[in-house]
């Protein structure tokens, strides 16, 4: 580490040099009073300090006095400040960081200490021209000291925060690894971590797996920024109270939301769908797979595999595939391979492709007819079209495909063809 700032006296005339030493000695005589004033100002101007007890302020006063004595000794003796001289300050910075104080509060304390010391220096200097000039010679070295010391403090804060973040990441990864092995922690720090997320051996949980498929801001899909941005967004509480375990691992983000009292699987799906859409608006497009509910840690490995399998159902441009929203029919259609698509009658495929270009009116009619339990009048009402129009559409479908939607087997074939088309990303919103 480089040496610290030079705080010694510049080349001054003898009268100015004597004035400078006089000022420094006068301040030295009042140092206890100056430190007490600095602490009082910190207590008033820094809200987080105002809430602390006397033991805390005893520590602050000791820190202020040590800084002041070091500065005055260096200014009077013409020596430099070395990094090792500030070990005491780095230790104090770590204590403040550990106690949860913001870095800006710690820097504000340096600012207050510098200002109080400067006010006392001016007061001790007096009003003569030589005294004022001597006081001005102290400005630059004092600023250098504060810059150097506050930089060391900031480094200590960053080191501590990196340590805390690394520990938290490691703890979350260890907890997830144990859960994915099918067991909830029974003791130690991992048990406490699991409890903080509301996870117990028999807690109903779901698994969510997300991967980045596009970034309109940077085009870089491998940056860790995507994982941690996604992790932070997912970790924000949704329509329920409590935290969600979220881990960035192996190029994916894994979340384990607990289905809390008063919630159901749809609440979880809606929350993660909102996260995916919000990130998409901000430029990060995700594919998300959401599992069914796992009744306890023993079923979570199965839920995780479900969530990963659900990713295969998401179109290439991103989106959400939520298994609790799918029927077995939907799932099987979405999982259809190329062979299943080839088995669709070419006449049916041609009709559906042409209908898609014309607005999917025939497809909507087939779906409405099935949902109305083959009641054509009810289907027409739901589509807000005349009964004769609905009848005409069904007749067109039969003429072009050879399938009569009024026959169960033919209707099922048309519905399967529609689901396969949509599952291949050929139309519709598959979230």
């Amino acid at each position: 580490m480089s040496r610290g700032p030079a705080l010694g006296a510049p080349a001054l005339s003898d009268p100015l040099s004597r004035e400078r030493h006089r000022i420094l000695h006068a301040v030295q005589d009042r140092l206890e009073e100056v430190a007490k004033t600095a602490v009082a100002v910190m207590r008033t101007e820094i809200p987080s300090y105002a809430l602390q007890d006397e033991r805390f302020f005893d520590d602050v006063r000791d820190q202020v006095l040590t800084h002041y004595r070091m500065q005055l000794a260096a200014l009077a003796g013409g020596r430099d400040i070395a990094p090792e001289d500030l070990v005491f300050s780095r230790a104090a910075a770590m204590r403040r960081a550990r106690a949860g104080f913001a870095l800006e509060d710690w820097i504000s304390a340096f600012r207050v200490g510098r200002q109080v010391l400067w006010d006392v220096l001016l007061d001790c200097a007096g009003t003569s021209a030589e005294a004022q000039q001597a006081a001005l010679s102290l400005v630059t070295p004092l600023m250098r000291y504060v810059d150097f010391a506050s930089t060391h403090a900031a480094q200590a804060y960053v080191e501590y925060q990196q340590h805390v973040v690394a520990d938290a990441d490691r703890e979350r990864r260890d907890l997830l690894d144990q859960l994915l092995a099918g067991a909830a922690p029974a003791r130690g720090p991992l048990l406490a971590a699991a409890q903080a997320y509301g996870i117990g051996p028999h807690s109903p949980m779901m698994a969510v797996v997300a991967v980045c498929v596009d970034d309109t801001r940077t085009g870089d899909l491998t940056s860790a920024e995507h994982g941690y941005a996604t992790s932070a967004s997912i970790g924000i509480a949704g329509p329920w109270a409590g935290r969600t375990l979220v881990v960035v691992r192996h190029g994916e983000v894994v979340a384990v939301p607990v289905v809390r009292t008063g919630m159901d699987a749809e609440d979880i799906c809606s929350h993660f769908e909102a996260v995916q859409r919000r990130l998409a608006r901000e430029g990060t497009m995700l594919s998300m797979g959401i599992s069914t509910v796992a009744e306890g840690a023993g079923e979570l490995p199965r839920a995780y595999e479900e969530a990963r399998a659900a990713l295969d159902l998401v179109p290439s441009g991103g989106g959400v595939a939520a298994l609790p929203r799918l029927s077995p029919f939907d799932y099987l259609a979405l999982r259809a391979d190329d062979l299943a698509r080839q088995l669709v009658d070419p006449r049916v495929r041609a009709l559906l492709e042409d209908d898609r270009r014309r607005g999917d009116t025939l497809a909507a009619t087939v779906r409405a007819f099935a949902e109305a339990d083959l009641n054509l009048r009810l289907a027409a009402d739901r589509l807000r079209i005349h009964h004769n129009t609905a009848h005409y559409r069904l007749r067109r479908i039969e003429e072009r495909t050879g399938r009569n939607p009024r026959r169960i087997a033919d209707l099922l074939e048309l519905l399967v063809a529609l689901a396969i088309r949509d599952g291949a990303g050929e139309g519709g919103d598959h979230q």
Side-chain angles (χ1 to χ4, degrees):
M1 188 178 291
S2 62
R3 300 294 295 176
L7 303 186
L12 299 174
S13 65
D14 288 343
L16 287 179
S17 181
R18 285 194 296 272
E19 279 297 301
R20 180 183 169 108
H21 282 285
R22 179 188 66 79
I23 295 169
L24 293 174
H25 282 296
V27 174
Q28 181 69 51
D29 292 340
R30 296 170 53 182
L31 209 54
E32 293 282 347
E33 173 194 340
V34 178
K36 184 177 180 181
T37 300
V39 172
V41 175
M42 291 175 194
R43 197 168 196 163
T44 300
E45 294 191 2
I46 305 174
S48 62
Y49 277 36
L51 302 174
Q52 306 308 310
D53 58 19
E54 290 306 317
R55 183 176 179 181
F56 170 80
F57 287 108
D58 287 343
D59 184 30
V60 174
R61 187 162 44 252
D62 289 343
Q63 289 295 310
V64 171
L65 271 172
T66 305
H67 277 292
Y68 283 169
R69 286 168 179 155
M70 183 172 295
Q71 291 176 79
L72 294 179
L75 291 167
R79 75 177 186 86
D80 297 344
I81 295 295
E84 53 267 26
D85 293 328
L86 294 172
V87 171
F88 75 96
S89 183
R90 290 176 60 84
M94 295 288 276
R95 291 198 297 275
R96 301 292 181 268
R98 192 178 301 113
F101 288 92
L103 177 57
E104 53 265 32
D105 291 343
W106 178 246
I107 300 302
S108 292
F110 272 98
R111 175 187 56 78
V112 169
R114 178 201 65 203
Q115 186 60 51
V116 170
L117 180 60
W118 177 244
D119 289 344
V120 174
L121 282 166
L122 288 179
D123 184 59
C124 291
T127 58
S128 71
E130 283 187 342
Q132 291 290 305
Q133 190 172 349
L136 287 175
S137 73
L138 297 169
V139 173
T140 297
L142 284 177
M143 292 296 295
R144 286 174 179 168
Y145 178 88
V146 172
D147 286 346
F148 188 65
S150 61
T151 297
H152 272 259
Q155 289 173 344
Y157 262 78
V158 170
E159 289 169 6
Y160 177 81
Q161 289 167 351
Q162 289 174 337
H163 174 74
V164 169
V165 168
D167 275 356
D169 280 348
R170 183 162 49 251
E171 183 178 73
R172 285 193 296 269
R173 286 195 301 272
D174 290 347
L175 174 57
L176 180 64
D177 287 345
Q178 182 159 343
L179 291 172
L180 293 183
R187 63 179 67 84
L190 289 187
L191 172 61
Q195 291 173 339
Y197 294 111
I199 296 173
H202 307 294
S203 301
M205 296 171 277
M206 296 167 71
V208 180
V209 177
V211 296
C212 183
V213 296
D214 187 29
D215 190 287
T216 60
R217 299 165 301 174
T218 65
D220 177 11
L221 306 185
T222 61
S223 171
E225 174 189 351
H226 299 101
Y228 286 103
T230 303
S231 173
S233 294
I234 290 174
I236 297 173
W240 59 85
R243 300 162 60 197
T244 298
L245 173 63
V246 187
V247 178
V248 182
R249 65 195 292 273
H250 309 317
E252 62 186 22
V253 178
V254 181
V256 183
V258 174
V259 185
R260 302 174 190 274
T261 303
M263 296 170 52
D264 58 24
E266 176 57 28
D267 294 322
I268 303 288
C269 295
S270 296
H271 172 62
F272 284 95
E273 187 176 62
V275 169
Q276 193 272 343
R277 287 175 173 166
R278 182 171 68 251
L279 286 173
R281 288 193 299 270
E282 295 170 359
T284 299
M285 183 60 69
L286 299 176
S287 289
M288 276 190 183
I290 304 177
S291 75
T292 61
V293 176
E295 296 297 338
E299 293 188 7
L300 196 62
R302 182 263 303 162
Y304 172 69
E305 292 303 325
E306 285 183 1
R308 295 196 68 191
L311 285 176
D312 294 337
L313 309 181
V314 181
S316 58
V320 179
L323 296 186
R325 293 176 171 176
L326 299 180
S327 68
F329 175 87
D330 294 329
Y331 179 77
L332 291 172
L334 289 170
R335 296 288 292 180
D337 55 17
D338 290 338
L339 177 58
R341 283 185 280 274
Q342 287 299 318
L343 292 175
V344 175
D345 189 303
R347 292 175 296 173
V348 174
R349 189 162 58 242
L351 171 72
L352 295 180
E353 290 173 355
D354 181 61
D355 183 50
R356 182 194 60 184
R357 290 190 291 269
R358 296 173 181 270
D360 260 354
T361 56
L362 298 182
T365 304
V366 169
R367 290 194 178 101
F369 188 52
E371 290 168 2
D373 295 327
L374 281 62
N375 185 324
L376 188 59
R377 188 173 296 279
L378 178 58
D381 290 342
R382 290 177 177 176
L383 291 170
R384 297 185 179 181
I385 60 176
H386 194 275
H387 173 262
N388 289 338
T389 303
H391 181 77
Y392 168 74
R393 290 179 181 178
L394 293 188
R395 189 169 68 250
R396 276 192 64 201
I397 293 170
E398 184 176 3
E399 289 172 353
R400 292 192 55 183
T401 66
R403 269 68 177 179
N404 181 0
R406 290 181 175 83
R407 295 183 62 246
I408 295 297
D410 287 356
L411 179 61
L412 282 174
E413 186 175 347
L414 291 169
L415 290 171
V416 168
L418 268 172
I420 289 176
R421 183 199 71 172
D422 292 347
E426 297 173 1
D429 179 2
H430 313 298
Q431 293 196 47

